[in-house]
Amino acid sequence: MKKTLFILLIILNSACKQQPKEQPSGKLKVVTTTTMITDLVQEIGGDAIELEGLMGSGIDPHLYKASQGDVRKLSQADVIFYNGLHLEGKLVEVFEKMNQQGKRTVAVSDALDKSTLIGSDYFASSYDPHIWFNLEYWEQITSFVTKELIKLDQNNESVYKANEEIYLKKLSNLKEELDKNINTLPSEQRILVTAHDAFNYFGRSFNFEVVGLQGLSTATEAGVKDVQRLTDFIIENNIKAIFIESSVPRRTVEALQKAVQARNHEVNIGGELFSDALGSAGTAEGTYIGMYKHNVATIVNALK
């Protein structure tokens, strides 16, 4: 790991010393990390920017390692948007090196009041980084990203502001739709069991008790005691369904299901949720709004 990172930093140092070639399009060149951030920046930037996302569908940002090609993309960008709060744990040193060399890197989590975040002893940031599952946070981040793009490209200020207004309206409509759907589920049935603790902000927003098999990060695997603990919890609370995640191997949740069944209790796998990455590009779930609609519909239908 350290050897790989050392090599990447050498490539970065070499690339950053070279003057980046002006893009033929003349557009602001933006690189993003997670699929959620890529989708957001695309909504705001539209055709006014040249956008490239590092991570694709089903990619786990907790474990993502930058390739040599990624470092070259990052070094050639005008601005880099990333989540922060140590979500992209293995990229932290790369971003720090870029900052030292004058590269514009923006953590979208800087838009938020840290005192309102959910604490976490696991991450070096001391916070739960899964902030996209709080819609109010995502609205704040939308405006934050808009301002950052305007700072770098004032010629397209009107485009960015217009796109911001449209997207904020979409997020407001999404909140109303989700509230309506979730309110059909009785409060005592709002217990969400997933592969890892990515949904705590969702739980706080919509009054769900959230329990993850692996904890906040997928960097640590669930052990026998974790499975036993959660098996007891599922049986005691008569939970109907548990959920797999698109960016986490399904075998962990399937092992949990078998452990519950071995105790003569039936629990279904309620479906696949998108947690740390969106769905495939070109599908409804490949957008932030489509992902959120899918997740809520899947959860509500299974727990009913």
Side-chain angles (χ1 to χ4, degrees):
M1 166 59 191
K2 290 184 178 179
K3 182 179 179 181
T4 302
L5 180 60
F6 178 71
I7 293 172
L8 291 175
L9 291 178
I10 290 175
I11 296 170
L12 171 62
N13 189 55
S14 174
C16 286
K17 286 180 179 177
Q18 301 174 12
Q19 291 294 326
K21 295 180 180 179
E22 185 176 347
Q23 297 300 315
S25 65
K27 297 178 180 179
L28 190 71
K29 189 169 180 61
V30 183
V31 172
T32 51
T33 54
T34 69
T35 51
M36 290 75 67
I37 298 173
T38 301
D39 180 65
L40 170 59
V41 174
Q42 183 62 65
E43 289 282 350
I44 305 305
D47 294 333
I49 64 173
E50 185 177 330
L51 176 63
E52 193 159 20
L54 295 185
M55 303 179 194
S57 172
I59 298 299
D60 184 348
H62 298 287
L63 304 177
Y64 187 80
K65 297 178 182 178
S67 66
Q68 294 182 14
D70 288 338
V71 174
R72 290 192 180 93
K73 292 174 187 176
L74 291 167
S75 67
Q76 292 170 4
D78 296 311
V79 59
I80 300 156
F81 288 101
Y82 66 104
N83 190 85
L85 302 177
H86 280 255
L87 177 76
E88 305 99 337
K90 296 184 183 300
L91 292 177
V92 170
E93 291 186 53
V94 174
F95 291 141
E96 289 176 350
K97 182 69 174 178
M98 288 185 160
N99 275 323
Q100 293 170 6
Q101 297 184 345
K103 178 65 64 178
R104 181 65 176 158
T105 62
V106 180
V108 300
S109 55
D110 286 347
L112 308 177
D113 178 353
K114 299 297 190 295
S115 67
T116 69
L117 299 181
I118 296 172
S120 166
D121 292 333
Y122 182 85
F123 286 89
S125 67
S126 299
Y127 301 106
D128 181 341
H130 303 90
I131 51 180
W132 55 92
F133 280 125
N134 182 312
L135 281 166
E136 292 181 3
Y137 286 169
W138 210 239
E139 290 172 342
Q140 294 175 46
I141 289 169
T142 296
S143 296
F144 177 73
V145 167
T146 302
K147 290 175 183 176
E148 290 296 322
L149 290 175
I150 291 171
K151 287 179 186 177
L152 295 164
D153 183 19
Q154 294 182 4
N155 290 335
N156 284 304
E157 179 176 358
S158 60
V159 174
Y160 301 140
K161 284 187 173 180
N163 288 343
E164 175 195 17
E165 183 178 355
I166 291 170
Y167 194 56
L168 287 174
K169 180 60 177 176
K170 288 181 181 179
L171 293 178
S172 177
N173 292 339
L174 174 64
K175 178 67 163 57
E176 292 180 9
E177 182 178 335
L178 298 183
D179 278 333
K180 184 177 180 180
N181 196 352
I182 289 172
N183 285 338
T184 65
L185 187 65
S187 58
E188 63 271 16
Q189 292 176 236
R190 297 185 189 182
I191 303 178
L192 179 62
V193 178
T194 60
H196 86 298
D197 265 343
F199 292 90
N200 287 313
Y201 290 106
F202 168 81
R204 189 168 71 174
S205 297
F206 295 103
N207 298 314
F208 274 78
E209 180 178 357
V210 177
V211 184
L213 183 57
Q214 286 182 252
L216 279 174
S217 175
T218 55
T220 55
E221 294 187 5
V224 175
K225 289 184 178 180
D226 297 312
V227 174
Q228 290 175 344
R229 169 187 56 82
L230 203 42
T231 296
D232 292 339
F233 179 83
I234 290 168
I235 295 172
E236 289 169 6
N237 291 276
N238 195 29
I239 294 171
K240 296 180 179 180
I242 56 180
F243 300 87
I244 59 175
E245 298 175 35
S246 63
S247 55
V248 181
R250 61 184 296 144
R251 63 178 180 272
T252 56
V253 173
E254 290 174 341
L256 176 61
Q257 182 188 36
K258 289 179 181 177
V260 173
Q261 291 171 339
R263 298 267 300 274
N264 298 316
H265 184 89
E266 192 61 41
V267 65
N268 296 317
I269 292 182
E272 181 181 58
L273 304 180
F274 296 97
S275 55
D276 290 346
L278 302 180
S280 300
T283 67
E285 295 79 14
T287 67
Y288 174 83
I289 289 175
M291 171 276 293
Y292 223 133
K293 288 182 179 181
H294 164 88
N295 280 357
V296 167
T298 301
I299 291 167
V300 171
N301 291 338
L303 294 181
K304 275 184 178 180

